[in-house]
Structures are given as C-alpha cells and as structure tokens.
Coordinates of all heavy atoms in Angstrom, one line a residue:
M190 N -20.0 5.5 -3.4 CA -19.2 4.9 -2.3 C -20.0 3.7 -1.7 O -21.2 3.5 -1.8 CB -19.0 5.9 -1.2 CG -18.2 7.2 -1.6 SD -16.6 6.8 -2.2 CE -15.7 6.4 -0.7
G191 N -19.2 2.9 -1.1 CA -19.8 1.7 -0.5 C -19.9 0.5 -1.6 O -20.2 -0.6 -1.2
K192 N -19.7 0.8 -2.8 CA -19.8 -0.2 -3.9 C -18.4 -0.9 -3.9 O -17.3 -0.3 -3.7 CB -20.0 0.5 -5.2 CG -20.2 -0.4 -6.3 CD -20.8 0.5 -7.5 CE -19.8 1.4 -8.2 NZ -19.2 0.8 -9.4
H193 N -18.5 -2.2 -4.1 CA -17.3 -2.9 -4.2 C -16.5 -2.6 -5.5 O -17.0 -2.7 -6.6 CB -17.5 -4.5 -4.2 CG -17.5 -5.0 -2.8 ND1 -16.4 -5.8 -2.4 CD2 -18.4 -4.9 -1.8 CE1 -16.7 -6.1 -1.1 NE2 -17.9 -5.6 -0.8
S194 N -15.3 -2.1 -5.3 CA -14.4 -1.7 -6.4 C -13.1 -2.3 -6.1 O -12.3 -1.7 -5.4 CB -14.4 -0.2 -6.6 OG -13.4 0.1 -7.6
I195 N -12.7 -3.5 -6.7 CA -11.5 -4.1 -6.3 C -10.3 -3.3 -6.7 O -9.4 -3.2 -5.9 CB -11.4 -5.5 -7.2 CG1 -12.6 -6.3 -6.8 CG2 -10.2 -6.2 -6.8 CD1 -12.7 -7.5 -7.7
D196 N -10.4 -2.6 -7.8 CA -9.2 -1.8 -8.3 C -8.8 -0.7 -7.3 O -7.7 -0.5 -7.1 CB -9.4 -1.2 -9.6 CG -9.5 -2.3 -10.7 OD1 -9.0 -3.4 -10.4 OD2 -10.1 -2.0 -11.7
L197 N -9.8 -0.1 -6.7 CA -9.5 1.1 -5.8 C -9.3 0.6 -4.4 O -8.6 1.3 -3.6 CB -10.6 2.1 -5.9 CG -10.7 2.7 -7.3 CD1 -11.9 3.7 -7.3 CD2 -9.5 3.5 -7.5
D198 N -10.0 -0.4 -3.9 CA -10.0 -0.7 -2.5 C -8.7 -1.5 -2.1 O -8.4 -1.5 -0.9 CB -11.2 -1.5 -2.2 CG -12.5 -0.7 -2.2 OD1 -12.3 0.6 -2.4 OD2 -13.6 -1.3 -2.2
V199 N -8.2 -2.3 -3.0 CA -7.1 -3.2 -2.6 C -5.8 -2.4 -2.7 O -5.4 -1.8 -3.7 CB -7.0 -4.4 -3.4 CG1 -5.8 -5.3 -3.1 CG2 -8.3 -5.3 -3.2
C200 N -5.0 -2.4 -1.6 CA -3.8 -1.7 -1.6 C -2.8 -2.3 -2.6 O -2.6 -3.5 -2.5 CB -3.2 -1.7 -0.1 SG -1.5 -1.0 -0.1
P201 N -2.2 -1.6 -3.5 CA -1.3 -2.2 -4.4 C 0.0 -2.6 -3.8 O 0.8 -3.3 -4.4 CB -1.0 -1.0 -5.5 CG -1.3 0.3 -4.7 CD -2.4 -0.2 -3.7
C202 N 0.3 -2.1 -2.6 CA 1.5 -2.5 -1.9 C 1.4 -3.8 -1.1 O 2.1 -4.8 -1.4 CB 2.0 -1.3 -1.0 SG 3.5 -1.7 -0.1
C203 N 0.5 -3.8 -0.1 CA 0.4 -5.0 0.7 C -0.7 -6.0 0.3 O -0.7 -7.1 0.7 CB 0.2 -4.6 2.2 SG -1.4 -3.8 2.5
G204 N -1.6 -5.5 -0.6 CA -2.6 -6.4 -1.1 C -3.8 -6.6 -0.3 O -4.7 -7.3 -0.6
Y205 N -3.9 -5.9 0.9 CA -5.1 -5.9 1.6 C -6.2 -5.0 1.2 O -5.8 -3.8 0.8 CB -4.8 -5.7 3.1 CG -4.0 -7.0 3.7 CD1 -2.6 -6.9 3.9 CD2 -4.7 -8.1 4.0 CE1 -2.0 -8.0 4.4 CE2 -4.0 -9.2 4.5 CZ -2.7 -9.2 4.7 OH -2.0 -10.3 5.1
R206 N -7.4 -5.3 1.4 CA -8.5 -4.4 1.1 C -8.8 -3.5 2.2 O -9.7 -3.8 3.0 CB -9.7 -5.2 0.7 CG -10.9 -4.4 0.1 CD -12.2 -5.2 0.2 NE -12.1 -6.3 -0.7 CZ -12.4 -6.3 -2.1 NH1 -12.7 -5.1 -2.5 NH2 -12.3 -7.3 -2.8
T207 N -8.1 -2.4 2.3 CA -8.3 -1.5 3.5 C -9.3 -0.4 3.1 O -9.9 0.2 4.0 CB -7.0 -0.9 3.8 OG1 -6.4 -0.2 2.7 CG2 -6.0 -1.9 4.4
G208 N -9.5 -0.1 1.8 CA -10.5 0.9 1.4 C -10.1 2.3 1.8 O -11.0 3.2 1.8
D209 N -8.9 2.5 2.1 CA -8.4 3.8 2.5 C -7.3 4.2 1.6 O -6.4 3.5 1.3 CB -7.9 3.7 4.0 CG -7.7 5.1 4.6 OD1 -7.2 6.0 4.0 OD2 -8.1 5.2 5.8
P210 N -7.3 5.5 1.1 CA -6.2 5.9 0.2 C -4.9 5.8 0.8 O -3.9 5.4 0.1 CB -6.6 7.4 0.0 CG -8.0 7.6 0.3 CD -8.3 6.6 1.3
T211 N -4.7 6.1 2.0 CA -3.5 5.8 2.7 C -3.7 4.5 3.5 O -4.4 4.5 4.5 CB -3.0 6.9 3.6 OG1 -2.8 8.1 2.8 CG2 -1.7 6.6 4.3
C212 N -3.0 3.5 3.1 CA -3.2 2.2 3.7 C -2.9 2.1 5.2 O -1.7 2.5 5.5 CB -2.4 1.1 2.9 SG -2.6 -0.5 3.6
P213 N -3.8 1.8 6.1 CA -3.4 1.7 7.5 C -2.5 0.5 7.9 O -1.9 0.5 8.9 CB -4.8 1.5 8.2 CG -5.7 1.0 7.1 CD -5.2 1.4 5.8
V214 N -2.4 -0.4 6.9 CA -1.5 -1.5 7.2 C 0.0 -1.2 6.9 O 0.9 -1.4 7.7 CB -2.0 -2.8 6.4 CG1 -1.0 -4.0 6.6 CG2 -3.4 -3.2 6.9
C215 N 0.2 -0.7 5.6 CA 1.6 -0.6 5.2 C 2.0 1.0 5.0 O 3.1 1.3 4.8 CB 1.8 -1.3 3.9 SG 1.0 -0.6 2.5
R216 N 0.9 1.8 5.1 CA 1.1 3.3 5.0 C 1.4 3.7 3.6 O 1.7 4.9 3.4 CB 2.3 3.8 5.9 CG 2.1 3.4 7.4 CD 0.8 3.7 8.0 NE 0.5 5.1 8.0 CZ -0.6 5.7 8.3 NH1 -1.6 4.9 8.6 NH2 -0.8 6.9 8.3
W217 N 1.3 2.9 2.6 CA 1.3 3.3 1.2 C 0.1 4.1 0.8 O -1.0 3.8 1.3 CB 1.4 2.0 0.3 CG 1.4 2.4 -1.2 CD1 0.2 2.3 -2.0 CD2 2.4 2.7 -2.0 NE1 0.6 2.6 -3.3 CE2 1.9 2.9 -3.3 CE3 3.8 3.0 -1.8 CZ2 2.7 3.3 -4.4 CZ3 4.5 3.4 -2.9 CH2 4.0 3.5 -4.2
T218 N 0.3 5.2 0.1 CA -0.8 6.0 -0.3 C -1.1 5.7 -1.8 O -0.3 5.8 -2.6 CB -0.5 7.5 -0.2 OG1 -0.4 7.8 1.2 CG2 -1.7 8.3 -0.8
D219 N -2.3 5.2 -2.0 CA -2.7 4.8 -3.4 C -2.9 6.0 -4.2 O -3.8 6.8 -4.0 CB -3.9 3.9 -3.3 CG -4.3 3.2 -4.7 OD1 -3.6 3.6 -5.7 OD2 -5.2 2.4 -4.7
D220 N -2.1 6.2 -5.2 CA -2.2 7.4 -6.1 C -3.1 7.1 -7.3 O -3.2 7.9 -8.2 CB -0.8 7.9 -6.5 CG 0.0 6.8 -7.3 OD1 -0.6 5.8 -7.6 OD2 1.2 7.0 -7.5
G221 N -3.7 6.0 -7.4 CA -4.6 5.6 -8.4 C -4.0 5.0 -9.7 O -4.7 4.6 -10.6
R222 N -2.7 5.0 -9.6 CA -2.0 4.4 -10.8 C -1.5 3.0 -10.6 O -1.0 2.4 -11.5 CB -0.8 5.3 -11.2 CG -1.3 6.6 -11.8 CD -0.2 7.6 -12.0 NE 0.2 8.3 -10.8 CZ 1.0 9.3 -10.7 NH1 1.5 9.8 -11.8 NH2 1.3 9.8 -9.6
A223 N -1.8 2.5 -9.4 CA -1.6 1.1 -9.2 C -0.3 0.5 -9.8 O 0.8 0.9 -9.5 CB -2.8 0.3 -9.4
D224 N -0.6 -0.5 -10.6 CA 0.5 -1.4 -11.1 C 1.3 -0.9 -12.3 O 2.2 -1.6 -12.7 CB 0.0 -2.8 -11.3 CG 0.4 -3.7 -10.2 OD1 1.4 -3.5 -9.6 OD2 -0.4 -4.7 -10.0
A225 N 0.9 0.2 -12.9 CA 1.6 0.7 -14.1 C 3.0 1.1 -13.6 O 3.2 2.0 -12.7 CB 0.9 1.9 -14.7
D226 N 4.0 0.6 -14.3 CA 5.4 0.9 -14.0 C 5.7 0.9 -12.5 O 6.1 1.9 -11.9 CB 5.8 2.3 -14.5 CG 5.5 2.4 -16.1 OD1 5.9 1.4 -16.7 OD2 5.2 3.4 -16.6
P227 N 5.6 -0.3 -11.9 CA 5.9 -0.4 -10.4 C 7.3 0.0 -10.0 O 7.5 0.4 -8.9 CB 5.6 -1.8 -10.0 CG 5.8 -2.5 -11.3 CD 5.3 -1.6 -12.4
E228 N 8.2 0.0 -11.0 CA 9.6 0.4 -10.6 C 9.9 1.9 -10.6 O 10.9 2.3 -10.1 CB 10.6 -0.2 -11.7 CG 10.4 -1.7 -12.0 CD 10.9 -2.6 -10.8 OE1 11.7 -2.1 -10.0 OE2 10.5 -3.7 -10.7
V229 N 8.9 2.6 -11.1 CA 9.1 4.1 -11.2 C 8.5 4.8 -10.0 O 7.3 4.6 -9.7 CB 8.4 4.6 -12.5 CG1 8.6 6.1 -12.7 CG2 9.1 3.8 -13.8
A230 N 9.4 5.6 -9.4 CA 8.8 6.5 -8.3 C 8.2 7.8 -9.0 O 9.0 8.4 -9.8 CB 10.0 6.9 -7.3
R231 N 7.1 8.1 -8.6 CA 6.4 9.2 -9.4 C 6.1 10.4 -8.6 O 5.4 11.3 -9.0 CB 5.0 8.7 -9.9 CG 5.0 7.3 -10.6 CD 3.6 7.1 -11.1 NE 3.4 5.7 -11.6 CZ 3.1 4.7 -10.8 NH1 2.9 4.9 -9.5 NH2 2.9 3.5 -11.3
G232 N 6.7 10.5 -7.4 CA 6.5 11.7 -6.6 C 5.1 11.6 -6.0 O 4.6 10.5 -5.8
G233 N 4.5 12.7 -5.8 CA 3.1 12.7 -5.2 C 3.2 12.2 -3.8 O 4.3 12.4 -3.1
P234 N 2.2 11.6 -3.3 CA 2.1 11.2 -1.9 C 3.2 10.2 -1.4 O 3.6 10.2 -0.3 CB 0.7 10.6 -1.7 CG 0.3 10.3 -3.1 CD 0.9 11.2 -4.0
N235 N 3.7 9.5 -2.4 CA 4.7 8.5 -2.1 C 6.1 8.9 -2.3 O 7.1 8.2 -2.1 CB 4.4 7.2 -2.8 CG 3.1 6.6 -2.4 OD1 2.8 6.3 -1.2 ND2 2.2 6.5 -3.3
G236 N 6.3 10.1 -2.8 CA 7.6 10.7 -3.0 C 8.5 10.0 -3.9 O 8.1 9.6 -5.0
R237 N 9.7 9.6 -3.4 CA 10.6 8.9 -4.3 C 10.6 7.4 -4.1 O 11.4 6.7 -4.5 CB 12.1 9.4 -3.8 CG 12.3 10.9 -4.1 CD 13.5 11.4 -3.4 NE 14.8 10.8 -3.9 CZ 15.4 11.3 -4.9 NH1 15.0 12.4 -5.5 NH2 16.5 10.7 -5.4
L238 N 9.5 7.0 -3.5 CA 9.4 5.6 -3.2 C 8.6 4.9 -4.4 O 7.5 5.4 -4.7 CB 8.5 5.4 -1.9 CG 8.4 4.0 -1.4 CD1 9.7 3.4 -1.0 CD2 7.4 4.0 -0.2
S239 N 9.2 3.9 -5.1 CA 8.4 3.2 -6.1 C 7.6 2.1 -5.4 O 7.8 1.7 -4.3 CB 9.4 2.6 -7.1 OG 10.1 1.5 -6.5
L240 N 6.6 1.7 -6.2 CA 5.7 0.6 -5.7 C 6.5 -0.6 -5.5 O 6.3 -1.4 -4.5 CB 4.6 0.4 -6.7 CG 3.6 -0.7 -6.2 CD1 3.0 -0.5 -4.9 CD2 2.4 -0.8 -7.3
A241 N 7.4 -0.9 -6.4 CA 8.3 -2.1 -6.2 C 9.1 -2.1 -5.0 O 9.2 -3.1 -4.2 CB 9.2 -2.3 -7.4
D242 N 9.7 -1.0 -4.7 CA 10.4 -0.8 -3.4 C 9.5 -0.9 -2.2 O 9.9 -1.4 -1.2 CB 11.2 0.5 -3.4 CG 12.4 0.5 -4.3 OD1 12.8 -0.6 -4.7 OD2 12.9 1.6 -4.6
A243 N 8.4 -0.3 -2.3 CA 7.4 -0.3 -1.2 C 7.0 -1.7 -0.9 O 6.9 -2.1 0.3 CB 6.2 0.5 -1.5
R244 N 6.8 -2.5 -1.9 CA 6.4 -3.9 -1.7 C 7.5 -4.7 -1.0 O 7.3 -5.5 -0.1 CB 6.1 -4.6 -3.0 CG 4.7 -4.2 -3.5 CD 4.6 -4.7 -4.9 NE 3.1 -4.5 -5.4 CZ 2.8 -4.6 -6.7 NH1 3.7 -4.8 -7.6 NH2 1.6 -4.4 -7.0
L245 N 8.7 -4.4 -1.4 CA 9.9 -5.1 -0.8 C 10.0 -4.6 0.7 O 10.2 -5.5 1.6 CB 11.1 -4.7 -1.6 CG 12.4 -5.5 -1.3 CD1 12.2 -7.0 -1.6 CD2 13.6 -5.0 -2.1
N246 N 9.9 -3.3 0.9 CA 9.9 -2.8 2.3 C 8.9 -3.5 3.1 O 9.1 -3.8 4.3 CB 9.8 -1.3 2.3 CG 11.0 -0.6 1.8 OD1 12.1 -1.1 1.8 ND2 10.8 0.6 1.3
Y247 N 7.7 -3.6 2.5 CA 6.6 -4.2 3.3 C 6.9 -5.6 3.8 O 6.7 -6.1 4.9 CB 5.3 -4.2 2.5 CG 4.1 -4.9 3.3 CD1 3.6 -4.3 4.4 CD2 3.7 -6.1 2.8 CE1 2.6 -4.9 5.1 CE2 2.6 -6.7 3.6 CZ 2.1 -6.1 4.7 OH 1.1 -6.7 5.4
Q248 N 7.6 -6.4 2.8 CA 8.0 -7.8 3.1 C 9.0 -7.8 4.3 O 8.9 -8.7 5.1 CB 8.6 -8.4 1.9 CG 7.6 -8.6 0.8 CD 6.4 -9.4 1.1 OE1 6.5 -10.5 1.7 NE2 5.3 -9.0 0.7
I249 N 9.8 -6.8 4.3 CA 10.9 -6.8 5.3 C 10.5 -6.1 6.6 O 10.7 -6.6 7.7 CB 12.1 -6.1 4.8 CG1 12.6 -6.8 3.5 CG2 13.3 -6.0 5.8 CD1 13.7 -6.0 2.7
F250 N 9.9 -4.9 6.5 CA 9.6 -4.1 7.7 C 8.2 -4.1 8.2 O 7.8 -3.6 9.2 CB 10.0 -2.6 7.4 CG 11.5 -2.5 7.0 CD1 11.8 -2.2 5.7 CD2 12.5 -2.6 7.9 CE1 13.2 -2.1 5.3 CE2 13.8 -2.5 7.5 CZ 14.1 -2.2 6.2
G251 N 7.2 -4.5 7.2 CA 5.8 -4.5 7.6 C 5.2 -3.2 7.2 O 4.0 -3.0 7.5
T252 N 6.0 -2.2 6.7 CA 5.4 -1.0 6.2 C 6.1 -0.6 4.9 O 7.2 -1.2 4.7 CB 5.6 0.2 7.2 OG1 7.0 0.2 7.7 CG2 4.7 0.1 8.4
S253 N 5.5 0.3 4.2 CA 6.1 0.6 2.8 C 7.4 1.3 2.9 O 8.1 1.4 1.9 CB 5.0 1.3 2.0 OG 4.5 2.4 2.6
R254 N 7.7 2.0 4.0 CA 9.0 2.6 4.2 C 9.6 2.1 5.5 O 8.9 2.0 6.5 CB 8.8 4.1 4.4 CG 8.8 5.0 3.2 CD 8.6 6.4 3.6 NE 7.9 7.1 2.6 CZ 8.4 7.8 1.6 NH1 9.6 7.6 1.3 NH2 7.6 8.4 0.7
P255 N 10.9 1.9 5.5 CA 11.6 1.5 6.8 C 11.3 2.4 7.9 O 11.1 2.0 9.0 CB 13.1 1.4 6.4 CG 13.1 1.3 4.9 CD 11.9 2.0 4.4
G256 N 11.3 3.7 7.6 CA 11.1 4.7 8.7 C 9.7 4.7 9.3 O 9.5 5.3 10.3
W257 N 8.8 4.0 8.6 CA 7.4 3.9 9.2 C 7.2 2.6 9.9 O 6.0 2.3 10.3 CB 6.4 4.0 8.0 CG 6.4 5.3 7.3 CD1 6.8 6.5 7.9 CD2 5.9 5.7 6.1 NE1 6.6 7.5 7.0 CE2 6.0 7.1 5.9 CE3 5.3 5.0 5.0 CZ2 5.6 7.7 4.7 CZ3 4.9 5.6 3.9 CH2 5.1 6.9 3.7
R258 N 8.2 1.9 10.2 CA 8.1 0.7 10.9 C 7.4 0.9 12.2 O 7.7 1.8 13.0 CB 9.5 0.1 11.2 CG 9.5 -1.3 11.7 CD 11.0 -1.7 11.8 NE 11.1 -3.1 11.9 CZ 12.2 -3.8 11.7 NH1 13.3 -3.2 11.5 NH2 12.2 -5.1 11.8
G259 N 6.4 0.1 12.5 CA 5.6 0.3 13.7 C 4.4 1.2 13.6 O 3.6 1.3 14.4
E260 N 4.4 1.9 12.4 CA 3.2 2.9 12.3 C 2.0 2.3 11.6 O 0.9 2.8 11.6 CB 3.7 4.2 11.5 CG 4.6 5.0 12.3 CD 5.0 6.3 11.6 OE1 4.2 6.8 10.8 OE2 6.1 6.8 11.8
G261 N 2.3 1.2 10.9 CA 1.2 0.4 10.2 C 0.5 -0.4 11.4 O 0.8 -0.3 12.5
R262 N -0.5 -1.1 10.9 CA -1.2 -2.0 11.9 C -1.3 -3.4 11.2 O -1.2 -3.5 10.0 CB -2.6 -1.5 12.2 CG -3.5 -1.5 11.1 CD -4.9 -1.3 11.6 NE -5.9 -1.1 10.5 CZ -6.3 -2.0 9.7 NH1 -6.0 -3.2 9.7 NH2 -7.3 -1.6 8.7
P263 N -1.3 -4.4 12.0 CA -1.5 -5.7 11.4 C -2.8 -5.8 10.7 O -3.8 -5.3 11.1 CB -1.4 -6.7 12.6 CG -1.0 -5.9 13.8 CD -1.3 -4.5 13.5
P264 N -2.8 -6.5 9.6 CA -4.1 -6.7 8.8 C -5.0 -7.5 9.6 O -4.7 -8.5 10.2 CB -3.6 -7.3 7.5 CG -2.3 -8.0 7.8 CD -1.7 -7.2 8.9
G265 N -6.3 -7.1 9.5 CA -7.4 -8.0 10.1 C -8.1 -8.8 9.1 O -7.9 -8.7 7.9
R266 N -9.0 -9.6 9.6 CA -9.7 -10.5 8.7 C -10.6 -9.6 7.8 O -10.8 -10.1 6.6 CB -10.6 -11.4 9.6 CG -11.4 -12.4 8.8 CD -12.3 -13.2 9.6 NE -11.6 -13.9 10.7 CZ -12.2 -14.8 11.5 NH1 -13.5 -15.0 11.4 NH2 -11.5 -15.4 12.5
E267 N -11.0 -8.5 8.2 CA -11.8 -7.6 7.3 C -11.1 -7.0 6.2 O -11.6 -6.5 5.3 CB -12.6 -6.6 8.2 CG -11.6 -5.5 8.7 CD -10.8 -5.9 10.0 OE1 -11.0 -7.0 10.4 OE2 -10.3 -5.0 10.5
D268 N -9.8 -7.1 6.3 CA -8.9 -6.5 5.3 C -8.6 -7.5 4.1 O -7.9 -7.1 3.2 CB -7.6 -6.0 5.9 CG -7.8 -4.9 6.9 OD1 -8.7 -4.1 6.7 OD2 -7.0 -5.0 7.9
L269 N -9.0 -8.7 4.3 CA -8.6 -9.7 3.2 C -9.3 -9.4 2.0 O -10.5 -9.0 2.0 CB -9.0 -11.1 3.7 CG -8.1 -11.7 4.8 CD1 -8.7 -13.0 5.3 CD2 -6.7 -11.8 4.4
P270 N -8.6 -9.4 0.8 CA -9.2 -9.1 -0.4 C -10.3 -10.1 -0.9 O -10.3 -11.2 -0.4 CB -8.1 -9.1 -1.4 CG -6.8 -9.5 -0.8 CD -7.2 -9.8 0.7
Ligands
ZN706 ZN1 -1.1 -1.5 2.2

C-alpha cells in the first residue's frame, strides 16, 4: 500500500485519483475490472449500472447514479490523476 498504482487508484468513472474502492466523488465502486466492456453491467457492488452509464450519469448528475446526487463530493486538487 502507499505505492503509486495508476490502474487501481484512478476511478474508472470520474477519472479522479481518489484511492478508495468506492469513489467519494462519484460513488462508483471500482470492481477491479475497469474498462473491459464498459457497456456491460456486471452486478457486484455497482449492480445493474454499467461503467458507460455511470460515466454519463457523472457528467449529468455529478455522481454515478442519479439517486446519489448530492452524496458525492467535489473533487479536490489532491484527487487529480
Ligand atoms: Zn469516481
């Protein structure tokens, strides 16, 4: 831990380096499969939400799900990749 690992630290949804499995910015939970088949919802922590949809939601609502609007936090300078 503490080692820089770009693949694991950068949220695949919002792109910020939050270093948390459940992103505090967009609330997406990184299931470790990142960008493989972003259109496919795979269950697990993100349920029926696909990464492609989560990214779209983030652009619109600021969180990976519309229902989580307001539960994320604005990204800070320390979150920049
Ligand atoms: Zn995120």
Side-chain angles (χ1 to χ4, degrees):
M190 298 300 285
K192 185 165 75 98
H193 267 255
S194 172
I195 300 170
D196 291 338
L197 291 177
D198 290 350
V199 174
C200 175
C202 178
C203 67
Y205 288 102
R206 185 195 296 277
T207 54
D209 196 313
T211 297
C212 178
V214 174
C215 70
R216 310 306 299 169
W217 173 261
T218 296
D219 189 352
D220 59 10
R222 285 173 284 189
D224 254 335
D226 299 323
E228 307 288 339
V229 178
R231 308 185 192 88
N235 300 299
R237 299 167 64 90
L238 188 66
S239 71
L240 180 55
D242 286 343
R244 284 173 171 161
L245 193 60
N246 287 335
Y247 177 70
Q248 297 301 317
I249 299 169
F250 302 108
T252 46
S253 52
R254 272 182 213 275
W257 291 340
R258 192 175 199 167
E260 292 185 29
R262 64 163 170 78
R266 186 183 299 183
E267 71 277 9
D268 299 322
L269 291 173

